[in-house]
Amino acid sequence: MIDILSGEGAEWTPLEITDEYRAELLSEFTCEELAELNIYGSSMRANAMRAEENDRVKRSCLMSLRDSLTHAELDGDEFTASRLRMTIAAAEMLEVAADIVDIIRLTSPSNECD
């Protein structure tokens, strides 16, 4: 049995449900809805969905790295600039790898979440 809460606000009370009922309830959700609820399987699709969630953060970090590189170059700090160039190159390679995962996900014959 699994305890969940039912009711509204402070009036929530524990409610016991079976594993079967929980599985049946979750089977009614789409893959996107499950991802929104942070419920994932262990499949490649679920891994790709996790990667998509972090996409915005990755882009923001890459922009920050590029800004830092510009400042290091303007300051004449070649050591820091060189280190930042290597970090940016690695981040860009990770973006390419994420694109490859997306292509695999889109061409995968399975449409299941798990």
Side-chain angles (χ1 to χ4, degrees):
M1 296 290 214
I2 300 172
D3 287 333
I4 63 171
L5 299 176
S6 67
E8 295 182 19
E11 299 176 12
W12 284 18
T13 57
L15 173 68
E16 289 187 6
I17 64 171
T18 63
D19 291 334
E20 292 81 20
Y21 179 76
R22 179 180 180 272
E24 180 182 324
L25 180 66
L26 292 178
S27 70
E28 296 175 8
F29 290 96
T30 66
C31 295
E32 289 75 22
E33 291 170 332
L34 290 172
E36 190 174 317
L37 296 169
N38 291 324
I39 300 172
Y40 298 103
S42 59
S43 69
M44 183 184 301
R45 179 176 173 83
N47 291 336
M49 291 172 77
R50 284 187 200 102
E52 288 174 15
E53 286 182 358
N54 296 320
D55 193 40
R56 273 186 291 151
V57 173
K58 289 177 189 176
R59 283 194 309 264
S60 175
C61 289
L62 191 55
M63 288 188 324
S64 177
L65 284 170
R66 288 181 178 137
D67 287 344
S68 296
L69 174 60
T70 300
H71 290 291
E73 289 173 339
L74 290 173
D75 290 342
D77 187 353
E78 190 53 40
F79 176 76
T80 301
S82 176
R83 201 179 80 230
L84 286 167
R85 282 187 204 100
M86 288 188 303
T87 304
I88 290 169
E92 289 170 344
M93 285 187 273
L94 287 174
E95 280 187 4
V96 171
D99 290 342
I100 292 170
V101 169
D102 286 341
I103 291 169
I104 292 170
R105 179 179 53 90
L106 292 173
T107 58
S108 175
S110 174
N111 290 330
E112 297 179 13
C113 297
D114 310 290

